[in-house]
Amino acid sequence: EVMLDLTTLAEALVGMALRKVLGEIREEGKIPDGAGNPEEHFCILAFGKLGGQELNYSSDIDLVGVFEVPGGQAAKGGSDREALKELYARVMERVSLDLSRHTEAGYAYRVDLRLRPHGQAGDLVPSFSGLMDYYRREASLWEIQAALRIRPIAGDPGLGKRFLEEMRCILLERRDTEEIVRSIVGMRQESVRKAARSLGGGQDVKNGEGGIRDVEFLVQGLQLIHGPDRPELLTGNTLEALDALEEARLLPEAVRAQLEEDYLLLRRVEHFLQIMEGRQTHALPRDPAERKALARR
């Protein structure tokens, strides 16, 4: 319930920030000719824990904006498209700044925009057609895995729905099982190595061995492997996915129950670590007295 409440709050704030920015840009007279109603051609997608409706108290929020050229303007060529790209890049920058700016009252969220195609080297806001082409032709397997959790949270709901429909077809493509396993094992090994190298921290409940990532990556690997035959497995929420995997007889009931119990415990520890520290951390305290204080919380 805490994760869903935090997710709902973040969605509301992102939506409010987007409406505020679009209103400001309209008042400034910076909406180009041919843009139509910009609210109808732009959508913000959430990745990660926000996409999966599993947000933490101190989570970053991973966002990607996507736009489309209005139907009546699509045949007019590159100038209108470039103007729209600049408009929505400005919108996304200002939404991100509004949510992450430090004030006397603190800040709302750390916003990460790097999960867009080509990361920091790519367009800040890709077009709908460009985004879909990227996932069809260029995306790495880890990006396809991450896309299991993408969810539209603000802006044009029709555009968001079409994105989900096309993305679902891509996620349901049949892939080589061994390639999926190699990709996930490689990412987990690197994540565990990074957690072990982190200075000063104790056991990492997210990235360390037996941590949150192990449950999430197991679930996501099974979704990619078995999704083509069982589309009902596709959900970005880990607990919903565990239930679906049990119903599909891909996980025994006892295993599903144990994974769910462990996952909820680890996420609860993560919540209280971040409340106690007031920052994004996943490492258990090394000091026995501090660990005892965390346990009592």
Side-chain angles (χ1 to χ4, degrees):
E1 288 185 5
V2 170
M3 292 186 283
L4 183 57
D5 287 347
L6 291 171
T7 296
T8 303
L9 175 61
E11 287 179 23
L13 291 176
V14 172
M16 289 174 65
L18 176 58
R19 289 192 294 274
K20 170 180 173 286
V21 167
L22 286 171
E24 290 172 346
I25 289 178
R26 182 178 284 105
E27 289 177 4
E28 294 164 6
K30 293 183 179 178
I31 295 177
D33 294 337
N37 183 353
E39 286 91 341
E40 295 177 358
H41 305 288
F42 179 72
C43 183
I44 294 180
L45 309 170
F47 286 68
K49 288 180 177 176
L50 180 54
Q53 298 182 294
E54 300 169 337
L55 207 61
N56 279 24
Y57 276 100
S58 190
S59 286
D60 293 356
I61 57 174
D62 299 299
L63 304 177
V64 171
V66 60
F67 78 96
E68 66 175 351
V69 180
Q73 302 295 322
K76 288 192 176 181
S79 60
D80 284 337
R81 186 185 188 85
E82 286 302 311
L84 288 171
K85 186 196 295 186
E86 291 177 12
L87 166 67
Y88 290 119
R90 189 180 309 122
V91 168
M92 201 66 205
E93 283 178 340
R94 286 168 66 163
V95 167
S96 176
L97 183 60
D98 278 357
L99 291 168
S100 59
R101 180 188 288 114
H102 286 259
T103 70
E104 291 181 359
Y107 65 95
Y109 299 101
R110 291 179 301 273
V111 179
D112 193 338
L113 304 176
R114 293 174 296 175
L115 287 180
R116 63 188 187 270
H118 306 295
Q120 289 177 303
D123 290 335
L124 185 60
V125 178
S127 68
F128 179 83
S129 59
L131 185 60
M132 300 320 306
D133 284 346
Y134 179 81
Y135 277 111
R136 287 192 192 97
R137 301 173 185 175
E138 297 183 59
S140 303
L141 191 49
W142 73 264
E143 292 176 293
I144 298 296
Q145 181 184 340
L148 286 163
R149 307 180 85 179
I150 301 178
R151 193 169 54 87
I153 61 165
D156 183 352
L159 182 59
K161 181 180 178 182
R162 279 188 284 121
F163 171 82
L164 286 182
E165 289 170 351
E166 294 203 26
M167 196 70 229
R168 184 176 178 84
C169 295
I170 294 170
L171 291 170
L172 291 175
E173 290 176 7
R174 202 171 297 279
R175 296 176 174 84
D176 181 69
T177 297
E178 291 185 5
E179 184 184 356
I180 293 171
V181 172
R182 281 197 303 271
S183 174
I184 290 176
V185 168
M187 285 192 293
R188 280 302 294 132
Q189 289 175 340
E190 179 59 24
S191 185
V192 169
R193 281 195 293 269
K194 286 182 178 179
R197 289 198 301 264
S198 62
L199 298 177
Q203 184 175 354
D204 189 318
V205 298
K206 178 180 179 180
N207 298 302
E209 290 188 27
I212 291 165
R213 282 284 190 238
D214 278 321
V215 181
E216 293 174 343
F217 279 28
L218 167 67
V219 165
Q220 291 160 14
L222 291 173
Q223 287 176 305
L224 289 176
I225 291 167
H226 297 284
D229 299 313
R230 296 180 172 88
E232 68 274 12
L233 295 178
L234 292 194
T235 170
N237 183 274
T238 304
L239 297 177
E240 289 179 3
L242 283 170
D243 288 339
L245 288 164
E246 182 192 339
E247 288 179 19
R249 302 185 179 225
L250 293 168
L251 286 177
E253 180 182 359
V255 173
R256 191 275 309 157
Q258 187 67 62
L259 288 171
E260 181 176 303
E261 180 182 344
D262 294 345
Y263 182 75
L264 287 172
L265 172 63
L266 290 167
R267 291 303 306 273
R268 184 170 172 80
V269 170
E270 185 182 41
H271 282 308
F272 279 87
L273 269 173
Q274 296 185 356
I275 292 171
M276 182 171 70
E277 296 277 349
R279 62 187 177 90
Q280 189 180 39
T281 181
H282 308 99
L284 293 176
R286 289 184 181 275
D287 181 77
E290 291 182 12
R291 284 202 301 272
K292 185 175 181 180
L294 172 63
R296 293 183 60 153
R297 285 180 175 84

Short mmCIF file of all heavy atoms in Angstrom, two decimals, residues 215-242:
data_model
loop_
_atom_site.label_atom_id
_atom_site.label_comp_id
_atom_site.label_asym_id
_atom_site.label_seq_id
_atom_site.Cartn_x
_atom_site.Cartn_y
_atom_site.Cartn_z
N VAL A 215 14.92 -10.78 -7.08
CA VAL A 215 13.50 -11.10 -7.29
C VAL A 215 13.01 -10.46 -8.58
O VAL A 215 12.36 -11.10 -9.41
CB VAL A 215 12.65 -10.63 -6.09
CG1 VAL A 215 11.19 -10.99 -6.31
CG2 VAL A 215 13.15 -11.23 -4.79
N GLU A 216 13.33 -9.16 -8.77
CA GLU A 216 12.84 -8.44 -9.95
C GLU A 216 13.38 -9.06 -11.23
O GLU A 216 12.63 -9.24 -12.22
CB GLU A 216 13.24 -6.97 -9.85
CG GLU A 216 12.54 -6.23 -8.73
CD GLU A 216 13.03 -4.80 -8.54
OE1 GLU A 216 14.12 -4.48 -9.05
OE2 GLU A 216 12.33 -4.03 -7.86
N PHE A 217 14.67 -9.40 -11.26
CA PHE A 217 15.26 -9.92 -12.49
C PHE A 217 14.78 -11.34 -12.78
O PHE A 217 14.62 -11.72 -13.95
CB PHE A 217 16.79 -9.88 -12.40
CG PHE A 217 17.38 -8.52 -12.71
CD1 PHE A 217 16.65 -7.36 -12.48
CD2 PHE A 217 18.65 -8.40 -13.23
CE1 PHE A 217 17.20 -6.11 -12.76
CE2 PHE A 217 19.20 -7.15 -13.52
CZ PHE A 217 18.47 -6.01 -13.28
N LEU A 218 14.54 -12.14 -11.74
CA LEU A 218 13.95 -13.46 -11.96
C LEU A 218 12.59 -13.32 -12.63
O LEU A 218 12.30 -13.98 -13.63
CB LEU A 218 13.79 -14.18 -10.63
CG LEU A 218 12.91 -15.44 -10.66
CD1 LEU A 218 13.56 -16.53 -11.48
CD2 LEU A 218 12.60 -15.92 -9.25
N VAL A 219 11.76 -12.45 -12.07
CA VAL A 219 10.42 -12.22 -12.61
C VAL A 219 10.49 -11.73 -14.05
O VAL A 219 9.79 -12.25 -14.94
CB VAL A 219 9.66 -11.22 -11.72
CG1 VAL A 219 8.42 -10.68 -12.43
CG2 VAL A 219 9.26 -11.86 -10.40
N GLN A 220 11.33 -10.73 -14.31
CA GLN A 220 11.40 -10.15 -15.65
C GLN A 220 11.95 -11.14 -16.67
O GLN A 220 11.51 -11.17 -17.83
CB GLN A 220 12.23 -8.87 -15.60
CG GLN A 220 11.54 -7.75 -14.83
CD GLN A 220 12.47 -6.66 -14.34
OE1 GLN A 220 13.62 -6.58 -14.78
NE2 GLN A 220 11.99 -5.83 -13.44
N GLY A 221 12.91 -11.95 -16.26
CA GLY A 221 13.43 -12.98 -17.16
C GLY A 221 12.35 -13.98 -17.55
O GLY A 221 12.21 -14.34 -18.73
N LEU A 222 11.57 -14.43 -16.58
CA LEU A 222 10.49 -15.37 -16.87
C LEU A 222 9.42 -14.72 -17.74
O LEU A 222 8.83 -15.37 -18.62
CB LEU A 222 9.88 -15.88 -15.57
CG LEU A 222 10.77 -16.80 -14.73
CD1 LEU A 222 10.13 -17.09 -13.39
CD2 LEU A 222 11.06 -18.10 -15.48
N GLN A 223 9.17 -13.43 -17.55
CA GLN A 223 8.20 -12.74 -18.40
C GLN A 223 8.66 -12.70 -19.85
O GLN A 223 7.87 -12.94 -20.77
CB GLN A 223 7.99 -11.31 -17.89
CG GLN A 223 7.18 -11.21 -16.60
CD GLN A 223 7.10 -9.79 -16.09
OE1 GLN A 223 8.13 -9.13 -15.90
NE2 GLN A 223 5.90 -9.29 -15.90
N LEU A 224 9.95 -12.38 -20.07
CA LEU A 224 10.46 -12.32 -21.45
C LEU A 224 10.48 -13.69 -22.10
O LEU A 224 10.20 -13.83 -23.29
CB LEU A 224 11.87 -11.70 -21.45
CG LEU A 224 11.96 -10.21 -21.13
CD1 LEU A 224 13.42 -9.79 -21.08
CD2 LEU A 224 11.21 -9.38 -22.16
N ILE A 225 10.83 -14.73 -21.33
CA ILE A 225 10.93 -16.07 -21.89
C ILE A 225 9.55 -16.65 -22.22
O ILE A 225 9.33 -17.22 -23.30
CB ILE A 225 11.67 -17.01 -20.91
CG1 ILE A 225 13.16 -16.60 -20.82
CG2 ILE A 225 11.56 -18.47 -21.35
CD1 ILE A 225 13.90 -17.24 -19.66
N HIS A 226 8.60 -16.49 -21.31
CA HIS A 226 7.30 -17.15 -21.45
C HIS A 226 6.19 -16.23 -21.95
O HIS A 226 5.10 -16.72 -22.28
CB HIS A 226 6.89 -17.77 -20.11
CG HIS A 226 7.81 -18.84 -19.63
ND1 HIS A 226 7.83 -20.12 -20.16
CD2 HIS A 226 8.79 -18.82 -18.67
CE1 HIS A 226 8.76 -20.83 -19.55
NE2 HIS A 226 9.36 -20.08 -18.65
N GLY A 227 6.45 -14.93 -22.03
CA GLY A 227 5.43 -13.99 -22.48
C GLY A 227 4.84 -14.29 -23.85
O GLY A 227 3.63 -14.17 -24.03
N PRO A 228 5.66 -14.69 -24.83
CA PRO A 228 5.08 -14.97 -26.15
C PRO A 228 3.98 -16.02 -26.12
O PRO A 228 3.06 -15.99 -26.94
CB PRO A 228 6.30 -15.45 -26.95
CG PRO A 228 7.46 -14.77 -26.31
CD PRO A 228 7.14 -14.74 -24.85
N ASP A 229 4.07 -16.97 -25.20
CA ASP A 229 3.03 -18.01 -25.09
C ASP A 229 1.97 -17.65 -24.05
O ASP A 229 0.85 -18.20 -24.10
CB ASP A 229 3.67 -19.35 -24.70
CG ASP A 229 4.67 -19.83 -25.75
OD1 ASP A 229 4.31 -19.78 -26.95
OD2 ASP A 229 5.78 -20.21 -25.37
N ARG A 230 2.30 -16.74 -23.13
CA ARG A 230 1.37 -16.37 -22.06
C ARG A 230 1.38 -14.85 -21.88
O ARG A 230 2.00 -14.32 -20.95
CB ARG A 230 1.77 -17.06 -20.76
CG ARG A 230 1.69 -18.59 -20.81
CD ARG A 230 2.09 -19.18 -19.47
NE ARG A 230 1.86 -20.60 -19.42
CZ ARG A 230 2.73 -21.54 -19.82
NH1 ARG A 230 3.90 -21.15 -20.34
NH2 ARG A 230 2.45 -22.82 -19.72
N PRO A 231 0.70 -14.13 -22.76
CA PRO A 231 0.72 -12.65 -22.71
C PRO A 231 0.22 -12.08 -21.38
O PRO A 231 0.57 -10.95 -21.04
CB PRO A 231 -0.22 -12.26 -23.85
CG PRO A 231 -0.23 -13.42 -24.78
CD PRO A 231 -0.08 -14.63 -23.91
N GLU A 232 -0.55 -12.87 -20.64
CA GLU A 232 -1.07 -12.37 -19.36
C GLU A 232 0.04 -12.14 -18.33
O GLU A 232 -0.20 -11.52 -17.28
CB GLU A 232 -2.11 -13.35 -18.79
CG GLU A 232 -1.58 -14.70 -18.34
CD GLU A 232 -1.47 -15.74 -19.46
OE1 GLU A 232 -1.61 -15.36 -20.64
OE2 GLU A 232 -1.25 -16.92 -19.14
N LEU A 233 1.24 -12.61 -18.62
CA LEU A 233 2.36 -12.41 -17.69
C LEU A 233 2.88 -10.97 -17.72
O LEU A 233 3.59 -10.56 -16.80
CB LEU A 233 3.52 -13.34 -18.05
CG LEU A 233 3.28 -14.85 -17.89
CD1 LEU A 233 4.52 -15.61 -18.35
CD2 LEU A 233 2.93 -15.21 -16.46
N LEU A 234 2.54 -10.21 -18.76
CA LEU A 234 3.12 -8.88 -18.91
C LEU A 234 2.47 -7.88 -17.97
O LEU A 234 1.35 -7.43 -18.17
CB LEU A 234 2.97 -8.39 -20.36
CG LEU A 234 3.79 -9.14 -21.41
CD1 LEU A 234 3.81 -8.34 -22.71
CD2 LEU A 234 5.21 -9.43 -20.94
N THR A 235 3.20 -7.54 -16.93
CA THR A 235 2.82 -6.48 -16.02
C THR A 235 4.11 -5.91 -15.45
O THR A 235 5.09 -6.64 -15.27
CB THR A 235 1.92 -6.98 -14.88
OG1 THR A 235 1.77 -5.95 -13.89
CG2 THR A 235 2.50 -8.21 -14.18
N GLY A 236 4.13 -4.62 -15.17
CA GLY A 236 5.33 -4.00 -14.63
C GLY A 236 5.45 -4.12 -13.12
O GLY A 236 6.48 -3.77 -12.55
N ASN A 237 4.41 -4.63 -12.46
CA ASN A 237 4.40 -4.72 -11.01
C ASN A 237 4.90 -6.10 -10.58
O ASN A 237 4.38 -7.13 -11.01
CB ASN A 237 2.98 -4.48 -10.48
CG ASN A 237 2.91 -4.50 -8.97
OD1 ASN A 237 2.77 -5.54 -8.37
ND2 ASN A 237 3.01 -3.32 -8.37
N THR A 238 5.91 -6.13 -9.72
CA THR A 238 6.56 -7.38 -9.35
C THR A 238 5.61 -8.34 -8.65
O THR A 238 5.60 -9.55 -8.95
CB THR A 238 7.78 -7.09 -8.44
OG1 THR A 238 8.66 -6.19 -9.12
CG2 THR A 238 8.53 -8.37 -8.11
N LEU A 239 4.81 -7.85 -7.73
CA LEU A 239 3.91 -8.74 -6.99
C LEU A 239 2.81 -9.29 -7.91
O LEU A 239 2.46 -10.47 -7.81
CB LEU A 239 3.30 -8.00 -5.80
CG LEU A 239 4.30 -7.54 -4.74
CD1 LEU A 239 3.59 -6.74 -3.65
CD2 LEU A 239 5.03 -8.73 -4.13
N GLU A 240 2.28 -8.45 -8.79
CA GLU A 240 1.29 -8.94 -9.76
C GLU A 240 1.91 -9.99 -10.67
O GLU A 240 1.27 -10.99 -11.01
CB GLU A 240 0.75 -7.78 -10.59
CG GLU A 240 -0.16 -6.83 -9.85
CD GLU A 240 -0.65 -5.69 -10.72
OE1 GLU A 240 -0.31 -5.67 -11.93
OE2 GLU A 240 -1.34 -4.80 -10.20
N ALA A 241 3.15 -9.77 -11.06
CA ALA A 241 3.84 -10.72 -11.94
C ALA A 241 4.07 -12.05 -11.23
O ALA A 241 3.93 -13.12 -11.84
CB ALA A 241 5.16 -10.13 -12.42
N LEU A 242 4.43 -12.01 -9.95
CA LEU A 242 4.60 -13.26 -9.20
C LEU A 242 3.31 -14.05 -9.16
O LEU A 242 3.30 -15.27 -9.35
CB LEU A 242 5.08 -12.95 -7.77
CG LEU A 242 6.56 -12.56 -7.61
CD1 LEU A 242 6.82 -12.06 -6.21
CD2 LEU A 242 7.47 -13.75 -7.93
#
